Amino acid sequence: MAALSSLIQPFPSNSISSNTAKTHSSNRLSLNFISLCVTPIRRTRSSRTALKSAAQTGTDSCLVEKSVNTIRFLAVDAVEKANSGHPGLPMGCAPMGHVLFDEVMKYNPKNPYWFNRDRFVLSAGHGCMLHYALLHLSGYDSVKEEDLKSFRQWGSKTPGHPENFVTQGIEVTTGPLGQGIANAVGLALAEKHLASRYNKPGHEIVDHYTYVILGDGCQMEGVSNEACSLAAHWGLGKLIAFYDDNHTSIDGSTDIAFTENVDTRFEGLGWHVIWVKNGNSGYDEIREAIEEARSVKDRPSLIKVTTTIGYGSPNKANSYSAHGSALGAKEVEATRKNLGWAHEAFHVPDDVKKHWSRHISEGKVLENEWNEKFAAYENRYKEDAMELKALISGELPVGWEKALPTYTPETPGDATRNLSQQCLNALAKVLPGLLGGSADLASSNMTLLKMFGDLQKETPEERNIRFGVREHGMGAICNGISHHTKGLIPYCATFFVFTDYMRPAMRLAALSESRVIYVMTHDSIGLGEDGPTHQPVEHIASFRAMPNILMLRPADGNETAGAYRVAILNTKRPSVLALSRQKLPNLNWTGIEKVEKGGYILSDNSSNNKPDVILIGTGSELEIAVKAGDELRKEGKAVRVVSFVSWELFDEQSDEYKESVLPSGVTARVSIEAGSTFGWEKMVGRKGKAIGIDRFGASAPAGKIYKEFGLTVDAVVEAAEVVCQG
């Protein structure tokens, strides 16, 4: 029997081959749907490991085409009803989406978080109606018909871009282009890492693929190249990326700005590259490409699938007009006629519905089979099984906090970056899910886990990750790791100023509730001679302004340990630890548990909660506040010194607690922090004084810079005397 791609010809009178010119003049296509049916035979689960053509399996080719068009029109109808969205990608990518979800991927719609499921990421998140349509057909409870009809509406489970915290079945939050493919690298790395640690001969309990669809825009974004370079370096053979090669972006044809040879670039990175020339109806080509990709074990695979954006639309296909707005009622009607779709909006034909419904029972079988395999594994490898189960559930080991080091004022002073390394190495011994690394600054960030080696292609079981000079890719990869398994706790590090290179990934970590720990050293002008290019000024304030992220600036060893404790316990938000390069003393009265309050009283010689003045310090400047307090007490003043490690944590405390630390009746307040004063009025009030830096830094030894910028004990004392006078 002829291959399916030669049987189905939805464009017989004006066929679109792989050589069709990608120009706007070719938008108007004469499309005629031909319904061709062959004898239907149900696909079995075995075809998920050995893909066969429709002719070989006896799959009803008419049903395949009807299923694909169902996906297309669910997307078209949802975008049209919302009068907002991106119909073009779902219309072009429906064939590869169908093959993946209906024939290839293993998952359980009734348990979206089954551990050994295949992961799917839509990096081109603007085309999310493709994903929602596939989840709906597959039987996920998170996307019912009413959810499709409320696409992009308030309170909907189908937001304008995929959001993992809103819709079950969505692995990671995508939308900003390039982030999804980088997240997928993190997901695939996590799979390889866990498989290497826990699989045993005859017991491959960690065994799944990560599939991703990315578009031209993702290819243009630098973060994708950073992550894909690492994917090849790590040999992520279970990462398979589909490149939707439709040559169209919002501004028009991609040839106005993007003419590189993507195939050659990925081959240069070390990927296996396959080209599906007919992504519109070449189902067998897609199947064969996936089978080939799965046979390549030592490297990731890029399947370039040449498609037509807005496929089926007579007047908008192959045009930017199909990219970012609804087709319009007339064009929707014309597209229905063109593809022979004589159904009302949001209709799923009964035979399509019946065909897809088997995924519910098949998913349960797949999970039950895996549970049986795990039971056999657990019977033989009890300790490993117990540890893996804890990672899957996210349960922390009992008493893990006791591993954190404690410090006294007699402990020699040290830079908090060094104290951070002590904490990391202590935690790594008791937290099997802790892993991470630096963007080529491990020896400066002090992030190496001394009892482990480097995670490399041949040693994926290790826990030190070398990211190279790729801050953005590092951040996005860590997001993927965090969403693979609850108990995996990724950390990543660079100089604090270089968060500018990774901020988009950090923002998405906050948005998507990723527990990632950012170990950011060289946190102020205190780094000294490297000068203003490396001295962060506005960065602390900028992260305090970002929702759902903890900005922590510890002052000594106990506060550094407390910051790690907080970061581990906060499972649904990332944490930034700003750490010093210069040595700092271990202060009296700091405490690990105190950090969870965000701000707390360090010392106080007042009574009845009525100090004459409140001095507030963070990080390296807390020592200055303490010394200033001592000087003011010599003058007879009642002084309260407050350590303010985290604004966010303090804001979450009860009104009673906040009043006990910063009583509203005390308006004489002085803050000191080696960073922007932006926002400090919230804490010191209109009558208070914020000492900080509202210009770029300078190149000089740290002590000289502090003096020149007025970050001194004398400056705090002088400011306190002024505010006390009212």
Side-chain angles (χ1 to χ4, degrees):
M1 185 177 288
L4 181 62
S5 57
S6 63
L7 288 175
I8 299 177
Q9 297 290 340
F11 295 111
S13 63
N14 197 348
S15 178
I16 299 180
S17 72
S18 61
N19 296 319
T20 300
K22 299 290 182 176
T23 62
H24 298 310
S25 62
S26 63
N27 293 348
R28 300 180 179 276
L29 305 172
S30 174
L31 311 176
N32 298 291
F33 177 72
I34 294 181
S35 176
L36 297 172
C37 299
V38 296
T39 306
I41 298 177
R42 294 297 180 209
R43 176 189 61 77
T44 63
R45 282 183 292 108
S46 62
S47 64
R48 297 190 180 196
T49 55
L51 297 176
K52 299 179 180 180
S53 70
Q56 289 173 314
T57 61
T59 304
D60 184 342
S61 60
C62 176
L63 186 57
V64 170
E65 190 72 13
K66 188 182 290 187
S67 174
V68 168
N69 279 333
T70 300
I71 297 166
R72 288 181 174 129
F73 281 101
L74 286 175
V76 167
D77 293 338
V79 172
E80 195 65 27
K81 187 175 187 299
N83 194 29
S84 176
H86 300 73
L89 183 145
M91 296 169 77
C93 291
M96 64 180 99
H98 167 88
V99 173
L100 274 174
F101 274 75
D102 190 50
E103 302 177 17
V104 177
M105 289 172 56
K106 57 183 182 184
Y107 56 89
N108 181 1
K110 299 306 177 185
N111 182 9
Y113 303 112
W114 168 45
F115 171 71
N116 205 41
R117 68 192 181 278
D118 288 331
R119 270 65 167 179
F120 174 76
V121 175
L122 183 62
S123 187
H126 56 273
C128 57
M129 267 311 307
L130 170 71
H131 203 170
Y132 298 149
L134 291 166
L135 293 176
H136 175 64
L137 291 176
S138 300
Y140 283 78
D141 293 330
S142 54
V143 185
K144 301 289 189 181
E145 181 178 336
E146 56 268 26
D147 299 309
L148 297 176
K149 291 179 177 179
S150 60
F151 177 54
R152 289 190 161 216
Q153 304 307 301
W154 179 264
S156 170
K157 294 180 182 178
T158 50
H161 290 84
E163 297 174 6
N164 63 289
F165 53 94
V166 171
T167 314
Q168 291 188 350
I170 301 296
E171 301 288 353
V172 295
T173 298
T174 62
L177 296 176
Q179 294 291 329
I181 177 62
N183 292 169
V185 172
L187 290 167
L189 179 64
E191 192 276 343
K192 183 171 183 175
H193 173 70
L194 293 174
S196 180
R197 284 175 63 177
Y198 295 104
N199 285 356
K200 311 293 182 184
H203 295 272
E204 293 189 346
I205 52 171
V206 184
D207 181 19
H208 51 267
Y209 282 81
T210 300
Y211 299 95
V212 57
I213 293 177
L214 68 156
D216 289 303
C218 295
Q219 294 285 17
M220 295 183 215
E221 290 286 358
V223 65
S224 65
N225 199 67
E226 291 183 20
C228 289
S229 175
L230 283 167
H233 174 75
W234 290 325
L236 301 182
K238 288 185 176 178
L239 173 62
I240 299 176
F242 294 80
Y243 166 32
D244 177 26
D245 174 41
N246 65 32
H247 294 254
T248 306
S249 63
I250 290 177
D251 278 354
S253 173
T254 55
D255 61 16
I256 63 175
F258 187 60
T259 53
E260 68 183 48
N261 189 319
V262 174
D263 307 46
T264 302
R265 174 160 62 89
F266 270 76
E267 287 170 352
L269 291 175
W271 286 57
H272 179 69
V273 179
I274 310 166
W275 184 15
V276 173
K277 297 181 179 180
N278 178 14
N280 298 323
S281 58
Y283 303 106
D284 283 350
E285 289 183 58
I286 295 171
R287 295 183 180 106
E288 290 163 7
I290 295 172
E291 189 166 7
E292 179 182 334
R294 287 162 63 117
S295 72
V296 177
K297 307 297 184 182
D298 64 341
R299 64 187 65 189
S301 292
L302 179 77
I303 303 175
K304 184 175 79 169
V305 186
T306 299
T307 66
T308 301
I309 191 170
Y311 180 89
S313 169
N315 302 297
K316 295 188 177 182
N318 202 32
S319 164
Y320 67 91
S321 299
H323 188 291
S325 58
L327 296 178
K330 290 184 178 179
E331 189 65 14
V332 169
E333 186 59 30
T335 304
R336 274 182 155 75
K337 183 177 180 181
N338 217 16
L339 292 179
W341 194 252
H343 301 291
E344 62 184 13
F346 299 101
H347 179 75
V348 178
D350 289 342
D351 49 352
V352 173
K353 191 178 297 182
K354 181 179 180 181
H355 176 74
W356 281 83
S357 66
R358 74 195 190 289
H359 288 291
I360 295 174
S361 58
E362 285 188 5
K364 291 179 180 178
V365 171
L366 286 167
E367 183 172 357
N368 288 337
E369 288 178 348
W370 183 81
N371 287 338
E372 291 173 3
K373 288 180 64 176
F374 190 87
Y377 174 87
E378 186 174 23
N379 186 55
R380 188 165 180 180
Y381 305 102
K382 288 183 171 57
E383 289 187 6
D384 285 332
M386 183 181 302
E387 187 172 274
L388 180 56
K389 285 171 71 175
L391 287 177
I392 293 171
S393 69
E395 181 181 356
L396 294 171
V398 175
W400 67 271
E401 297 164 276
K402 296 177 182 178
L404 287 166
T406 57
Y407 304 85
T408 69
E410 290 70 42
T411 306
D414 208 344
T416 51
R417 62 170 176 162
N418 294 331
L419 300 168
S420 165
Q421 186 174 44
Q422 294 173 20
C423 292
L424 280 172
N425 278 270
L427 289 171
K429 295 175 183 178
V430 296
L431 296 178
L434 185 68
L435 75 165
S438 168
D440 198 49
L441 288 169
S443 59
S444 291
N445 299 141
M446 309 305 292
T447 49
L448 284 178
L449 303 178
K450 297 178 181 179
M451 69 289 294
F452 296 106
D454 289 347
L455 190 161
Q456 298 288 357
K457 181 177 182 179
E458 302 303 328
T459 55
E461 72 281 1
E462 299 291 355
R463 287 160 65 181
N464 286 304
I465 305 177
R466 304 286 190 168
F467 289 102
V469 189
R470 303 182 183 92
E471 292 90 354
H472 198 178
M474 173 178 70
I477 288 168
C478 284
N479 288 349
I481 294 172
S482 73
H483 286 296
H484 184 277
T485 303
K486 288 182 179 180
L488 288 180
I489 308 172
Y491 66 89
C492 58
T494 186
F495 291 169
F496 192 27
V497 75
F498 296 144
T499 53
D500 288 343
Y501 281 116
M502 59 188 293
R503 187 174 299 269
M506 297 176 76
R507 185 178 189 274
L508 276 179
L511 175 63
S512 58
E513 302 177 351
S514 307
R515 178 174 52 179
V516 178
I517 302 174
Y518 302 106
V519 182
M520 297 298 149
T521 68
H522 299 61
D523 71 334
S524 73
I525 57 169
L527 66 87
E529 291 84 349
D530 275 341
T533 60
H534 284 54
Q535 293 168 353
V537 172
E538 74 282 12
H539 296 69
I540 296 174
S542 72
F543 285 110
R544 285 174 179 155
M546 187 179 290
N548 200 46
I549 190 169
L550 293 177
M551 179 66 245
L552 299 139
R553 192 163 184 252
D556 68 356
N558 286 329
E559 288 196 349
T560 301
Y564 273 103
R565 176 177 176 270
V566 164
I568 299 296
L569 290 174
N570 276 264
T571 60
K572 290 191 175 183
R573 57 182 168 183
S575 299
V576 182
L577 276 64
L579 305 167
S580 74
R581 177 181 184 271
Q582 72 271 35
K583 287 186 178 181
L584 303 174
N586 286 295
L587 301 169
N588 269 314
W589 307 300
T590 58
I592 293 176
E593 290 78 14
K594 292 179 180 180
V595 173
E596 67 185 6
K597 297 292 188 180
Y600 64 93
I601 299 172
L602 189 68
S603 65
D604 189 6
N605 67 327
S606 69
S607 58
N608 300 319
N609 203 27
K610 293 180 180 180
D612 295 326
V613 64
I614 300 174
L615 306 182
I616 306 170
T618 78
S620 48
E621 291 70 65
L622 183 59
E623 174 195 7
I624 297 174
V626 168
K627 290 180 177 178
D630 291 340
E631 293 300 315
L632 289 165
R633 287 174 188 135
K634 292 176 183 177
E635 298 176 5
K637 287 187 170 56
V639 182
R640 174 175 295 176
V641 178
V642 172
S643 175
F644 234 71
V645 189
S646 169
W647 288 20
E648 299 79 28
L649 292 173
F650 186 75
D651 282 344
E652 292 168 3
Q653 304 310 308
S654 67
D655 290 340
E656 291 75 16
Y657 178 79
K658 287 185 281 189
E659 179 69 15
S660 73
V661 176
L662 298 179
S664 55
V666 180
T667 60
R669 304 178 185 183
V670 178
S671 68
I672 180 167
E673 182 174 67
S676 170
T677 61
F678 182 82
W680 270 106
E681 185 178 300
K682 175 181 178 181
M683 301 303 173
V684 301
R686 289 187 176 184
K687 296 183 179 180
K689 170 69 174 177
I691 299 174
I693 306 170
D694 291 313
R695 51 154 285 187
F696 291 119
S699 179
K704 177 65 172 177
I705 299 176
Y706 266 73
K707 182 178 180 180
E708 292 296 327
F709 280 102
L711 297 167
T712 64
V713 172
D714 289 344
V716 176
V717 170
E718 181 180 345
E721 291 172 343
V722 171
V723 297
C724 283
Q725 294 171 3

